[in-house]
Amino acid sequence: MGKLCTYFNKISKYWIVMFLGVLHSSIVYAQVERIFTLSEEKRIPELILYTDKIGLQSDTVKLFKMYDTLLAEAKARNEMLIYWYAQIYKANHQQLLRFNNDAAGRTAFFKNKQAFFDQSPYPIIRAAFSLYLSYVYFKALNFNEAFKLLLSANQTFEQIGYENIPEASLYLSVYFEFYYYFEDYPSAIKYSILAQKYNKQNLMMNEFLLNNRGMAYLKMKDYANAEKAFLETIEVANSVHSQSYVGIASGNYGNTKRLQNHYEASLPYLYADIKVNEKILPENTAITCLYLAYSLLKLDSVAKAKTFIDKSLKLHPRWIWTNFGVNYYDVQTLYYQKKGDYTTALLYRDSLSVLKDSLRKVFDNKILLKAHAQISAEKYINDLEEIASEKDKAVWKRNFIIAFILIVSAGFIFYLNRRRLRDKVVQECEKKQTEALLLQATTQLAHYMESIKNKNELIEKMSAELDSQKGLQYDPALLETLHHRTILTDDDWKYFKQLFEQVYPNFFDNLHLKYPDLTPAEIRLIALLKLDLTSKEMAYMLGVSTESLRKSRYRLRKKLEFHQEDTDFKLILEHL
């Protein structure tokens, strides 16, 4: 009897599996049939939404059964546009599932598909594949190839018209991500606005697009537009019951208020983000905890701020997100200043400076990489245009052999114009790169001077504390810290001089040629005068009193008068 029951159980399971398989296939076929009943502009959004839904359910069997059925039906019905779209999205899902964290494997997979998609008769398909391949190169940090394909795809999209592309919001959000990564925020905002404008099929979450735009405005310090975007995000997120984005946008709005020194106004929004996203998005919430702690410290709620500093570390124990480190050091500096522990505050301030310097180098590398990639991409596009132009000239020669001489002359003139235009583009790109390098050097010098000023402020506070202890026993730790904070040591001077020469090339050479008898101390003083610093700032940097600085300037003026009467420092500095 027991064996008979086991047999019937096996038979039952077999028929259940068979029944589910048939039901599975019927559901897939019904969905494919539904796609073909839709108008052409609605087919692609329906395909994207349905396959994404299956993907979220992690039902890969159903997903690829859907693609295979759609491909077979599209080919049988000669519906070739939906056929090519299905091929692209199938390839994209294949690379996502097979090569999740394997950039090299993903690149090789998509590269092997390029010849197949290049033979598509539809420009939109070729452009869409170029964009997907561009994104794969971007994730693999191959920015030269990424920008070539990015610009090429954008040319085609613009020729077709984004308003005529049902899935345009997907492509435009990729452009946003490119330019946001390279910190070209105006371009990022442009593509974010276009993505929302053409998101008629709701392929992207509007709260996501709005929040992205707000972040770009925030990076540009355009606080008015940032606030507007974040408030609109909250409104849209509430309307679709997306509580996580209500929290995210609230935190971003609170941070915008904080950055404008509206600390009291920032608190309810920062609290709201922490309440909603503490468990859902712990790393994002860790940053919000630091924003909240900063506002509380500015409002002298020191003890409460400390609880949120500690909470941030629990939510984000691994220091991978560099933005966390910057905010953490900044808040800790303020916390210890409020506690009156200036020695620890100074240590955190130094750590903050070191981290900012390292992040600044990353930013500078991004700028250079982007400039190099754009130059390479623009040259690539120009070469394609020149090849197309040469083909046109060949057709003209073949079709109008009677007017051979005229055509050759016209072709030669056209070639010269093309050459001049290409040279002009290259020169403009080189000019932009040179300007970017100068801006980089100027920014580095400005940050270096700002870092020194910040140190001076702490040193001034420490000096004031020492003055207040006159007649009392000095704090040895404070005295030792102050003793080792001399500004513009020999190493500092070398670094300062390097930055200075990048901004003012040949300054020191010209100075030596014109005034060969100047001492090293006088050269340093002239360099600081060139930066138009106050006497107090120069005195701190040179480690002397303001009175000593005044005497040094007087002696310097006398020495320069030996070479030139009626010495005017400003005129001298302008001509160096």
Side-chain angles (χ1 to χ4, degrees):
M1 183 70 181
K3 290 182 178 179
L4 187 61
C5 288
T6 303
Y7 173 74
F8 278 115
N9 283 337
K10 287 181 179 178
I11 294 294
S12 298
K13 289 178 181 177
Y14 170 79
W15 283 109
I16 289 170
V17 170
M18 287 291 292
F19 173 74
L20 290 175
V22 171
L23 180 63
H24 199 283
S25 297
S26 299
I27 293 171
V28 168
Y29 189 80
Q31 183 60 38
V32 169
E33 279 296 315
R34 182 178 182 282
I35 288 175
F36 283 111
T37 64
L38 298 173
S39 60
E40 198 165 90
E41 67 271 10
K42 290 185 178 179
R43 288 179 181 180
I44 307 309
E46 180 66 18
L47 171 63
I48 293 168
L49 291 171
Y50 186 69
T51 53
D52 282 351
K53 181 180 177 181
I54 299 174
L56 288 172
Q57 296 169 352
S58 300
D59 191 343
T60 55
V61 174
K62 185 178 180 181
L63 178 66
F64 288 106
K65 178 69 174 175
M66 166 74 180
Y67 279 126
D68 292 341
T69 304
L70 180 60
L71 287 167
E73 285 296 315
K75 206 165 188 179
R77 302 180 190 206
N78 200 29
E79 296 277 3
M80 298 312 293
L81 181 59
I82 190 72
Y83 169 85
W84 282 102
Y85 267 112
Q87 288 284 14
I88 278 190
Y89 296 134
K90 180 182 178 181
N92 190 45
H93 272 113
Q94 284 175 328
Q95 64 91 9
L96 287 172
L97 293 169
R98 291 185 190 177
F99 311 101
N100 188 25
N101 293 314
D102 181 4
R106 187 185 300 115
T107 304
F109 173 81
F110 249 79
K111 187 69 177 163
N112 288 336
K113 295 281 185 181
Q114 188 169 15
F116 172 72
F117 284 103
D118 281 348
Q119 69 182 2
S120 170
Y122 300 100
I124 183 64
I125 297 297
R126 297 195 297 271
F129 179 78
S130 292
L131 187 63
Y132 278 116
L133 181 55
S134 170
Y135 192 73
V136 168
Y137 278 128
F138 174 72
K139 289 297 183 181
L141 305 182
N142 187 343
F143 299 125
N144 282 350
E145 292 301 319
F147 263 98
K148 286 178 185 177
L149 293 166
L150 188 80
L151 296 182
S152 176
N154 190 50
Q155 276 192 334
T156 303
F157 291 146
E158 288 181 348
Q159 287 168 2
I160 296 170
Y162 280 108
E163 67 277 7
N164 300 316
I165 304 173
E167 71 281 13
S169 60
L170 296 178
Y171 305 146
L172 290 162
S173 65
V174 172
Y175 284 96
F176 170 87
E177 186 174 346
F178 264 82
Y179 288 105
Y180 189 90
Y181 175 83
F182 283 110
E183 307 193 29
D184 182 354
Y185 301 119
S187 295
I189 290 167
K190 167 190 167 185
Y191 285 108
S192 172
I193 292 170
L194 288 173
Q196 189 177 11
K197 178 180 178 181
Y198 296 119
N199 192 33
K200 296 174 183 176
Q201 307 294 335
N202 292 320
L203 297 178
M204 302 290 295
M205 296 187 300
N206 281 312
E207 59 270 30
F208 169 77
L209 297 173
L210 282 166
N211 187 70
N212 282 349
R213 191 187 313 163
M215 290 302 298
Y217 279 126
L218 188 60
K219 291 287 188 181
M220 293 174 63
K221 298 184 179 180
D222 184 349
Y223 298 127
N225 278 316
E227 286 184 2
K228 183 180 177 183
F230 292 137
L231 287 174
E232 194 174 346
T233 303
I234 294 170
E235 182 182 350
V236 171
N238 271 319
S239 71
V240 296
H241 309 292
S242 176
Q243 289 306 304
S244 60
Y245 261 98
V246 171
I248 290 170
S250 295
N252 289 333
Y253 182 80
N255 184 40
T256 308
K257 287 292 186 186
R258 177 187 73 91
L259 292 171
Q260 297 174 86
N261 303 327
H262 300 157
Y263 304 113
E264 190 75 41
S266 73
L267 296 180
Y269 294 95
L270 296 172
Y271 279 125
D273 184 17
I274 294 169
K275 181 180 178 181
V276 172
N277 289 319
E278 183 173 350
K279 293 181 180 179
I280 306 171
L281 300 167
E283 290 186 353
N284 183 76
T285 307
I287 298 289
T288 306
C289 285
L290 294 177
Y291 295 156
L292 179 58
Y294 191 96
S295 289
L296 290 169
L297 287 169
K298 286 293 186 178
L299 296 169
D300 294 324
S301 185
V302 179
K304 199 169 186 179
K306 184 67 167 67
T307 63
F308 285 98
I309 294 173
D310 295 339
K311 176 178 274 194
S312 74
L313 289 174
K314 292 177 183 177
L315 292 170
H316 199 315
R318 301 182 307 277
W319 286 44
I320 299 172
W321 199 355
T322 52
N323 189 35
F324 178 86
V326 171
N327 285 285
Y328 179 75
Y329 284 138
D330 195 26
V331 170
Q332 286 287 54
T333 300
L334 181 58
Y335 172 75
Y336 282 105
Q337 285 177 352
K338 291 286 184 180
K339 295 285 287 183
D341 186 350
Y342 296 114
T343 302
T344 305
L346 190 59
L347 291 174
Y348 274 110
R349 175 63 70 184
D350 284 346
S351 297
L352 178 62
S353 297
V354 170
L355 182 56
K356 280 185 174 179
D357 284 342
S358 66
L359 293 177
R360 198 171 298 117
K361 288 176 183 176
V362 172
F363 168 73
D364 293 339
N365 286 336
K366 281 185 184 179
I367 295 297
L368 292 174
L369 284 170
K370 181 192 173 189
H372 184 270
Q374 277 193 310
I375 290 170
S376 177
E378 287 169 4
K379 185 178 183 300
Y380 170 77
I381 297 298
N382 285 336
D383 287 344
L384 289 180
E385 290 177 352
E386 191 169 338
I387 290 170
S389 173
E390 292 296 333
K391 286 182 179 178
D392 289 342
K393 286 191 288 184
V395 171
W396 279 48
K397 289 177 183 177
R398 185 188 61 201
N399 294 340
F400 300 97
I401 192 66
I402 299 173
F404 175 77
I405 296 176
L406 180 61
I407 291 173
V408 169
S409 301
F412 182 70
I413 293 170
F414 178 80
Y415 173 79
L416 288 179
N417 288 336
R418 268 288 183 196
R419 185 65 177 268
R420 281 197 292 269
L421 179 61
R422 187 177 60 182
D423 291 343
K424 184 179 179 181
V425 169
V426 171
Q427 287 171 4
E428 287 177 355
C429 290
E430 290 174 349
K431 182 182 177 184
K432 286 180 183 178
Q433 190 170 8
T434 302
E435 289 173 352
L437 290 172
L438 178 59
L439 178 60
Q440 171 194 346
T442 304
T443 304
Q444 284 182 326
L445 182 59
H447 283 302
Y448 181 77
M449 299 304 299
E450 184 64 28
S451 174
I452 288 176
K453 288 178 182 178
N454 288 337
K455 286 184 179 181
N456 289 340
E457 289 175 5
L458 283 176
I459 290 169
E460 188 173 15
K461 288 181 180 179
M462 293 166 65
S463 298
E465 187 171 337
L466 286 175
D467 289 340
S468 68
Q469 295 180 7
K470 285 184 178 178
L472 302 174
Q473 186 176 359
Y474 287 110
D475 180 348
L478 190 60
L479 189 61
E480 182 69 12
T481 303
L482 185 59
H483 179 71
H484 288 93
R485 291 296 164 182
T486 304
I487 305 302
L488 279 185
T489 61
D490 288 339
D491 288 338
D492 288 333
W493 169 248
K494 288 178 183 176
Y495 182 60
F496 171 84
K497 187 176 179 182
Q498 180 184 351
L499 293 177
F500 191 97
E501 280 280 26
Q502 290 178 22
V503 180
Y504 302 106
N506 304 317
F507 177 88
F508 293 104
D509 291 339
N510 293 337
L511 184 64
H512 181 71
L513 288 173
K514 201 165 184 180
Y515 307 105
D517 56 344
L518 291 175
T519 66
E522 290 167 340
I523 291 173
R524 291 188 186 192
L525 177 56
I526 290 175
L528 295 180
L529 286 168
K530 177 71 173 177
L531 295 177
D532 201 21
L533 301 175
T534 65
S535 296
K536 187 176 181 181
E537 290 170 342
M538 288 189 286
Y540 271 123
M541 292 177 70
L542 295 171
V544 299
S545 67
T546 51
E547 179 61 25
S548 297
L549 178 72
R550 187 187 65 78
K551 291 178 180 178
S552 297
R553 289 182 66 168
Y554 176 78
R555 287 193 295 270
L556 177 60
R557 182 185 293 276
K558 285 296 184 183
K559 179 179 282 190
L560 295 181
E561 282 180 351
F562 179 78
H563 296 275
Q564 179 181 337
E565 293 185 0
D566 300 323
T567 301
D568 187 327
F569 276 123
K570 288 187 178 180
L571 288 175
I572 289 173
L573 294 173
E574 284 176 1
H575 289 88
L576 286 174

